[in-house]
Amino acid sequence: MIALLSAVPAVAAVGTGIASTYLYRYAFKRLDKAPKGSASNPDPDSKFYPSFQWLQNQPKEDWWLNETDVNNRVHAYFVPNPKNKTKVALIAHGYKGDATSMAASAKLFFDDGYTVLMPDDRSHGLSSGKYINFGWLDRLDYLQWLQKILERMGPDIQIVLYGISMGGATVMMMSGDDLPHQVKAIIEDCGYASVEEELTYQLKHFFNLPKYPLMPVVSSINKIVLGFTLEHGSAVAQLHKNKTPIFFIHGEKDNYVPTSMCFENFQATSAPKDMWIVPNATHAKSYWTAPKEYTQRIKRFLCQYVPAETPAQPD
């Protein structure tokens, strides 16, 4: 009996390790093929299809970071706007999406006169990588993308950072870094407060499992695989250092990234800011719930901080 009882902790530890490894692969492993019907692979009758087709037909360039390194290269689409050479939008996609999944957002900005750069994050789209980093390492690539934009378009430009879901978290995570002065505003849509907080919420909401003991082990695995613990991947911590005007958007009925995280993010920054909780919108559906108002609110916000922005036309 004593021997049996002494074996219980070891068995529990093994079980925790197996469960944590499964959870890590489930949450962090890249998705190699976009599901049929998604924004990256829409059906012809889908609401996503017109903007997806617009992007396919739009003249664009393939940009790369680390292009010759097959294990570390990162891809982006550069969509130049012939109507205006002073405004640029850097657009960040969501979890297990890719650049093409942001076609509607790209068109929104393009139609407003912005040149658009649309990266594929690490382990997404045409970029290399096996495991998703939830924006924490992607933000470092986006800082490099900013430099490439400046090299291509010159110093007299005005840049907006925009992201949805994981992309929203990514641009918030950028906000605490040393951004070039050409970055005039940030717009984040339904981004999470931190990687650890989001995964803890997901664990409880979808699997009815507590944070302990699995999450610390998952964090340790990520430290080995990607080089950082989950607690370090914090939008809130970065927002404490943010000085760039930022607009927070979140769906009222978001149960994937809970709306409470939007309030947490909003409170974290002392920079000029605004917030819109979109009635009846679920996760990453704020634009599709109220596309006209969404576009108008973004434009009104940008008019305050982007000198090249033109006022919205009255209805």
Side-chain angles (χ1 to χ4, degrees):
M1 176 63 72
I2 294 175
L4 181 60
L5 290 175
S6 66
V8 169
V11 172
V14 171
T16 298
I18 293 172
S20 299
T21 300
Y22 171 82
L23 179 62
Y24 186 82
R25 289 175 178 168
Y26 175 85
F28 287 75
K29 197 174 190 313
R30 77 175 290 154
L31 180 68
D32 284 317
K33 186 176 181 179
K36 183 67 174 173
S38 68
S40 300
N41 187 16
D43 296 318
D45 59 350
S46 166
K47 62 187 177 184
F48 304 122
Y49 195 75
S51 55
F52 178 84
Q53 279 296 101
W54 168 85
L55 181 61
Q56 298 304 307
N57 296 330
Q58 198 66 29
K60 54 187 175 293
E61 302 171 14
D62 292 295
W63 281 18
W64 297 92
L65 301 176
N66 314 314
E67 183 175 2
T68 60
D69 185 348
V70 295
N71 294 317
N72 294 293
R73 61 187 178 187
V74 183
H75 173 263
Y77 290 115
F78 178 76
V79 187
N81 194 321
K83 296 182 180 179
N84 193 318
K85 300 184 185 302
T86 59
K87 299 190 298 184
V88 184
L90 177 54
I91 295 180
H93 67 74
Y95 174 71
K96 294 189 177 180
D98 61 17
T100 62
S101 69
M102 299 298 287
S105 301
K107 190 173 188 303
L108 184 157
F109 281 95
F110 188 90
D111 288 348
D112 194 28
Y114 285 79
T115 285
V116 177
L117 186 68
M118 310 168 66
D120 287 321
D121 289 356
R122 301 184 192 190
S123 302
H124 292 81
L126 299 179
S127 296
S128 300
K130 295 180 179 179
Y131 294 99
I132 297 166
N133 67 81
F134 288 85
W136 185 242
L137 301 180
D138 295 315
R139 87 187 201 284
L140 303 177
D141 298 330
Y142 279 66
L143 295 174
Q144 292 190 63
W145 289 127
L146 288 175
Q147 293 305 313
K148 288 182 76 71
I149 290 170
L150 290 168
E151 290 168 9
R152 170 64 176 268
M153 302 191 68
D156 300 324
I157 59 172
Q158 297 155 32
I159 302 172
V160 174
L161 308 181
Y162 172 88
I164 295 179
S165 191
M166 186 180 79
T170 302
V171 296
M172 287 190 287
M173 290 170 179
M174 292 176 69
S175 73
D177 292 322
D178 186 15
L179 299 176
H181 69 85
Q182 289 88 353
V183 176
K184 303 300 182 183
I186 299 171
I187 300 171
E188 80 82 23
D189 184 336
C190 65
Y192 38 80
S194 72
V195 181
E196 182 180 55
E197 192 172 341
E198 173 63 10
L199 292 179
T200 297
Y201 169 81
Q202 295 274 331
L203 193 65
K204 177 64 177 177
H205 185 76
F206 292 105
F207 299 99
N208 198 30
L209 292 171
K211 178 178 180 179
Y212 299 100
L214 296 180
M215 199 55 63
V217 181
V218 170
S219 184
S220 296
I221 295 171
N222 196 64
K223 175 68 173 176
I224 295 169
V225 175
L226 293 177
F228 67 95
T229 59
L230 300 185
E231 66 186 35
H232 282 103
S234 174
V236 165
Q238 291 287 86
L239 285 165
H240 283 309
K241 300 180 286 183
N242 174 49
K243 297 178 181 179
T244 305
I246 182 167
F247 185 20
F248 299 88
I249 301 171
H250 215 102
E252 176 192 29
K253 296 184 178 179
D254 193 334
N255 67 353
Y256 192 83
V257 175
T259 309
S260 60
M261 288 193 189
C262 185
F263 294 98
E264 185 179 357
N265 291 328
F266 184 83
Q267 291 298 325
T269 183
S270 58
K273 58 188 175 180
D274 198 359
M275 178 171 58
W276 179 35
I277 304 300
V278 184
N280 300 312
T282 56
H283 183 66
K285 296 297 188 292
S286 290
Y287 170 77
W288 301 105
T289 301
K292 186 174 182 179
E293 185 175 4
Y294 189 100
T295 303
Q296 291 174 337
R297 282 180 178 263
I298 285 179
K299 191 168 183 65
R300 284 200 297 268
F301 181 81
L302 293 179
C303 278
Q304 300 175 71
Y305 305 108
V306 181
E309 187 65 44
T310 55
Q313 298 296 316
D315 294 334

mmCIF file with all atom_site columns, all heavy atoms in Angstrom, residues 181-194:
data_model
loop_
_atom_site.group_PDB
_atom_site.id
_atom_site.type_symbol
_atom_site.label_atom_id
_atom_site.label_alt_id
_atom_site.label_comp_id
_atom_site.label_asym_id
_atom_site.label_entity_id
_atom_site.label_seq_id
_atom_site.pdbx_PDB_ins_code
_atom_site.Cartn_x
_atom_site.Cartn_y
_atom_site.Cartn_z
_atom_site.occupancy
_atom_site.B_iso_or_equiv
_atom_site.pdbx_formal_charge
_atom_site.auth_seq_id
_atom_site.auth_comp_id
_atom_site.auth_asym_id
_atom_site.auth_atom_id
_atom_site.pdbx_PDB_model_num
ATOM 1   N N   . HIS A 1 181 ? 8.576   57.597 -35.268 1.00 0.00 ? 181 HIS A N   1
ATOM 2   C CA  . HIS A 1 181 ? 7.612   58.688 -35.069 1.00 0.00 ? 181 HIS A CA  1
ATOM 3   C C   . HIS A 1 181 ? 6.558   58.728 -36.167 1.00 0.00 ? 181 HIS A C   1
ATOM 4   O O   . HIS A 1 181 ? 5.507   59.370 -36.009 1.00 0.00 ? 181 HIS A O   1
ATOM 5   C CB  . HIS A 1 181 ? 8.353   60.029 -34.991 1.00 0.00 ? 181 HIS A CB  1
ATOM 6   C CG  . HIS A 1 181 ? 8.983   60.474 -36.279 1.00 0.00 ? 181 HIS A CG  1
ATOM 7   N ND1 . HIS A 1 181 ? 8.295   61.166 -37.254 1.00 0.00 ? 181 HIS A ND1 1
ATOM 8   C CD2 . HIS A 1 181 ? 10.251  60.321 -36.758 1.00 0.00 ? 181 HIS A CD2 1
ATOM 9   C CE1 . HIS A 1 181 ? 9.093   61.421 -38.271 1.00 0.00 ? 181 HIS A CE1 1
ATOM 10  N NE2 . HIS A 1 181 ? 10.293  60.916 -38.009 1.00 0.00 ? 181 HIS A NE2 1
ATOM 11  N N   . GLN A 1 182 ? 6.799   58.023 -37.258 1.00 0.00 ? 182 GLN A N   1
ATOM 12  C CA  . GLN A 1 182 ? 5.806   57.996 -38.337 1.00 0.00 ? 182 GLN A CA  1
ATOM 13  C C   . GLN A 1 182 ? 4.559   57.194 -37.957 1.00 0.00 ? 182 GLN A C   1
ATOM 14  O O   . GLN A 1 182 ? 3.539   57.301 -38.634 1.00 0.00 ? 182 GLN A O   1
ATOM 15  C CB  . GLN A 1 182 ? 6.422   57.408 -39.605 1.00 0.00 ? 182 GLN A CB  1
ATOM 16  C CG  . GLN A 1 182 ? 7.437   58.312 -40.286 1.00 0.00 ? 182 GLN A CG  1
ATOM 17  C CD  . GLN A 1 182 ? 8.849   58.133 -39.760 1.00 0.00 ? 182 GLN A CD  1
ATOM 18  O OE1 . GLN A 1 182 ? 9.076   57.416 -38.779 1.00 0.00 ? 182 GLN A OE1 1
ATOM 19  N NE2 . GLN A 1 182 ? 9.827   58.752 -40.413 1.00 0.00 ? 182 GLN A NE2 1
ATOM 20  N N   . VAL A 1 183 ? 4.630   56.377 -36.903 1.00 0.00 ? 183 VAL A N   1
ATOM 21  C CA  . VAL A 1 183 ? 3.447   55.643 -36.445 1.00 0.00 ? 183 VAL A CA  1
ATOM 22  C C   . VAL A 1 183 ? 2.569   56.617 -35.679 1.00 0.00 ? 183 VAL A C   1
ATOM 23  O O   . VAL A 1 183 ? 2.923   57.073 -34.582 1.00 0.00 ? 183 VAL A O   1
ATOM 24  C CB  . VAL A 1 183 ? 3.826   54.439 -35.564 1.00 0.00 ? 183 VAL A CB  1
ATOM 25  C CG1 . VAL A 1 183 ? 2.565   53.764 -35.025 1.00 0.00 ? 183 VAL A CG1 1
ATOM 26  C CG2 . VAL A 1 183 ? 4.660   53.439 -36.367 1.00 0.00 ? 183 VAL A CG2 1
ATOM 27  N N   . LYS A 1 184 ? 1.416   56.938 -36.242 1.00 0.00 ? 184 LYS A N   1
ATOM 28  C CA  . LYS A 1 184 ? 0.557   57.972 -35.690 1.00 0.00 ? 184 LYS A CA  1
ATOM 29  C C   . LYS A 1 184 ? -0.598  57.435 -34.860 1.00 0.00 ? 184 LYS A C   1
ATOM 30  O O   . LYS A 1 184 ? -1.142  58.157 -34.014 1.00 0.00 ? 184 LYS A O   1
ATOM 31  C CB  . LYS A 1 184 ? -0.017  58.833 -36.832 1.00 0.00 ? 184 LYS A CB  1
ATOM 32  C CG  . LYS A 1 184 ? 1.039   59.486 -37.718 1.00 0.00 ? 184 LYS A CG  1
ATOM 33  C CD  . LYS A 1 184 ? 1.943   60.407 -36.912 1.00 0.00 ? 184 LYS A CD  1
ATOM 34  C CE  . LYS A 1 184 ? 2.962   61.107 -37.810 1.00 0.00 ? 184 LYS A CE  1
ATOM 35  N NZ  . LYS A 1 184 ? 3.893   61.952 -37.040 1.00 0.00 ? 184 LYS A NZ  1
ATOM 36  N N   . ALA A 1 185 ? -0.999  56.195 -35.097 1.00 0.00 ? 185 ALA A N   1
ATOM 37  C CA  . ALA A 1 185 ? -2.159  55.657 -34.386 1.00 0.00 ? 185 ALA A CA  1
ATOM 38  C C   . ALA A 1 185 ? -2.165  54.137 -34.444 1.00 0.00 ? 185 ALA A C   1
ATOM 39  O O   . ALA A 1 185 ? -1.566  53.532 -35.343 1.00 0.00 ? 185 ALA A O   1
ATOM 40  C CB  . ALA A 1 185 ? -3.457  56.212 -34.978 1.00 0.00 ? 185 ALA A CB  1
ATOM 41  N N   . ILE A 1 186 ? -2.866  53.545 -33.473 1.00 0.00 ? 186 ILE A N   1
ATOM 42  C CA  . ILE A 1 186 ? -3.046  52.089 -33.402 1.00 0.00 ? 186 ILE A CA  1
ATOM 43  C C   . ILE A 1 186 ? -4.542  51.810 -33.281 1.00 0.00 ? 186 ILE A C   1
ATOM 44  O O   . ILE A 1 186 ? -5.253  52.472 -32.521 1.00 0.00 ? 186 ILE A O   1
ATOM 45  C CB  . ILE A 1 186 ? -2.321  51.497 -32.179 1.00 0.00 ? 186 ILE A CB  1
ATOM 46  C CG1 . ILE A 1 186 ? -0.812  51.764 -32.250 1.00 0.00 ? 186 ILE A CG1 1
ATOM 47  C CG2 . ILE A 1 186 ? -2.589  49.991 -32.054 1.00 0.00 ? 186 ILE A CG2 1
ATOM 48  C CD1 . ILE A 1 186 ? -0.057  51.403 -30.978 1.00 0.00 ? 186 ILE A CD1 1
ATOM 49  N N   . ILE A 1 187 ? -5.005  50.819 -34.035 1.00 0.00 ? 187 ILE A N   1
ATOM 50  C CA  . ILE A 1 187 ? -6.385  50.354 -33.908 1.00 0.00 ? 187 ILE A CA  1
ATOM 51  C C   . ILE A 1 187 ? -6.347  48.867 -33.642 1.00 0.00 ? 187 ILE A C   1
ATOM 52  O O   . ILE A 1 187 ? -5.797  48.099 -34.432 1.00 0.00 ? 187 ILE A O   1
ATOM 53  C CB  . ILE A 1 187 ? -7.206  50.642 -35.175 1.00 0.00 ? 187 ILE A CB  1
ATOM 54  C CG1 . ILE A 1 187 ? -7.233  52.142 -35.458 1.00 0.00 ? 187 ILE A CG1 1
ATOM 55  C CG2 . ILE A 1 187 ? -8.630  50.111 -35.025 1.00 0.00 ? 187 ILE A CG2 1
ATOM 56  C CD1 . ILE A 1 187 ? -7.839  52.496 -36.788 1.00 0.00 ? 187 ILE A CD1 1
ATOM 57  N N   . GLU A 1 188 ? -6.874  48.464 -32.502 1.00 0.00 ? 188 GLU A N   1
ATOM 58  C CA  . GLU A 1 188 ? -6.901  47.040 -32.170 1.00 0.00 ? 188 GLU A CA  1
ATOM 59  C C   . GLU A 1 188 ? -8.340  46.597 -32.020 1.00 0.00 ? 188 GLU A C   1
ATOM 60  O O   . GLU A 1 188 ? -9.158  47.280 -31.408 1.00 0.00 ? 188 GLU A O   1
ATOM 61  C CB  . GLU A 1 188 ? -6.072  46.764 -30.912 1.00 0.00 ? 188 GLU A CB  1
ATOM 62  C CG  . GLU A 1 188 ? -6.729  47.062 -29.582 1.00 0.00 ? 188 GLU A CG  1
ATOM 63  C CD  . GLU A 1 188 ? -7.647  45.949 -29.101 1.00 0.00 ? 188 GLU A CD  1
ATOM 64  O OE1 . GLU A 1 188 ? -7.484  44.790 -29.527 1.00 0.00 ? 188 GLU A OE1 1
ATOM 65  O OE2 . GLU A 1 188 ? -8.538  46.245 -28.276 1.00 0.00 ? 188 GLU A OE2 1
ATOM 66  N N   . ASP A 1 189 ? -8.635  45.448 -32.595 1.00 0.00 ? 189 ASP A N   1
ATOM 67  C CA  . ASP A 1 189 ? -9.981  44.883 -32.588 1.00 0.00 ? 189 ASP A CA  1
ATOM 68  C C   . ASP A 1 189 ? -9.925  43.517 -31.914 1.00 0.00 ? 189 ASP A C   1
ATOM 69  O O   . ASP A 1 189 ? -9.309  42.581 -32.425 1.00 0.00 ? 189 ASP A O   1
ATOM 70  C CB  . ASP A 1 189 ? -10.480 44.781 -34.035 1.00 0.00 ? 189 ASP A CB  1
ATOM 71  C CG  . ASP A 1 189 ? -11.922 44.298 -34.158 1.00 0.00 ? 189 ASP A CG  1
ATOM 72  O OD1 . ASP A 1 189 ? -12.417 43.624 -33.235 1.00 0.00 ? 189 ASP A OD1 1
ATOM 73  O OD2 . ASP A 1 189 ? -12.547 44.591 -35.192 1.00 0.00 ? 189 ASP A OD2 1
ATOM 74  N N   . CYS A 1 190 ? -10.534 43.410 -30.760 1.00 0.00 ? 190 CYS A N   1
ATOM 75  C CA  . CYS A 1 190 ? -10.742 42.173 -29.982 1.00 0.00 ? 190 CYS A CA  1
ATOM 76  C C   . CYS A 1 190 ? -9.452  41.430 -29.631 1.00 0.00 ? 190 CYS A C   1
ATOM 77  O O   . CYS A 1 190 ? -9.414  40.200 -29.628 1.00 0.00 ? 190 CYS A O   1
ATOM 78  C CB  . CYS A 1 190 ? -11.753 41.260 -30.642 1.00 0.00 ? 190 CYS A CB  1
ATOM 79  S SG  . CYS A 1 190 ? -11.346 40.537 -32.242 1.00 0.00 ? 190 CYS A SG  1
ATOM 80  N N   . GLY A 1 191 ? -8.386  42.167 -29.339 1.00 0.00 ? 191 GLY A N   1
ATOM 81  C CA  . GLY A 1 191 ? -7.149  41.533 -28.898 1.00 0.00 ? 191 GLY A CA  1
ATOM 82  C C   . GLY A 1 191 ? -7.194  41.155 -27.429 1.00 0.00 ? 191 GLY A C   1
ATOM 83  O O   . GLY A 1 191 ? -7.889  41.777 -26.622 1.00 0.00 ? 191 GLY A O   1
ATOM 84  N N   . TYR A 1 192 ? -6.423  40.129 -27.050 1.00 0.00 ? 192 TYR A N   1
ATOM 85  C CA  . TYR A 1 192 ? -6.410  39.654 -25.667 1.00 0.00 ? 192 TYR A CA  1
ATOM 86  C C   . TYR A 1 192 ? -5.408  40.444 -24.825 1.00 0.00 ? 192 TYR A C   1
ATOM 87  O O   . TYR A 1 192 ? -4.517  41.127 -25.336 1.00 0.00 ? 192 TYR A O   1
ATOM 88  C CB  . TYR A 1 192 ? -6.110  38.158 -25.591 1.00 0.00 ? 192 TYR A CB  1
ATOM 89  C CG  . TYR A 1 192 ? -5.088  37.648 -26.569 1.00 0.00 ? 192 TYR A CG  1
ATOM 90  C CD1 . TYR A 1 192 ? -3.725  37.795 -26.354 1.00 0.00 ? 192 TYR A CD1 1
ATOM 91  C CD2 . TYR A 1 192 ? -5.499  37.022 -27.747 1.00 0.00 ? 192 TYR A CD2 1
ATOM 92  C CE1 . TYR A 1 192 ? -2.788  37.323 -27.260 1.00 0.00 ? 192 TYR A CE1 1
ATOM 93  C CE2 . TYR A 1 192 ? -4.573  36.559 -28.674 1.00 0.00 ? 192 TYR A CE2 1
ATOM 94  C CZ  . TYR A 1 192 ? -3.227  36.710 -28.426 1.00 0.00 ? 192 TYR A CZ  1
ATOM 95  O OH  . TYR A 1 192 ? -2.303  36.252 -29.327 1.00 0.00 ? 192 TYR A OH  1
ATOM 96  N N   . ALA A 1 193 ? -5.565  40.327 -23.516 1.00 0.00 ? 193 ALA A N   1
ATOM 97  C CA  . ALA A 1 193 ? -4.725  41.069 -22.575 1.00 0.00 ? 193 ALA A CA  1
ATOM 98  C C   . ALA A 1 193 ? -3.324  40.469 -22.465 1.00 0.00 ? 193 ALA A C   1
ATOM 99  O O   . ALA A 1 193 ? -2.352  41.196 -22.299 1.00 0.00 ? 193 ALA A O   1
ATOM 100 C CB  . ALA A 1 193 ? -5.387  41.127 -21.199 1.00 0.00 ? 193 ALA A CB  1
ATOM 101 N N   . SER A 1 194 ? -3.230  39.156 -22.509 1.00 0.00 ? 194 SER A N   1
ATOM 102 C CA  . SER A 1 194 ? -1.937  38.471 -22.484 1.00 0.00 ? 194 SER A CA  1
ATOM 103 C C   . SER A 1 194 ? -2.129  37.058 -22.997 1.00 0.00 ? 194 SER A C   1
ATOM 104 O O   . SER A 1 194 ? -3.250  36.528 -23.001 1.00 0.00 ? 194 SER A O   1
ATOM 105 C CB  . SER A 1 194 ? -1.351  38.435 -21.059 1.00 0.00 ? 194 SER A CB  1
ATOM 106 O OG  . SER A 1 194 ? -2.064  37.527 -20.244 1.00 0.00 ? 194 SER A OG  1
#
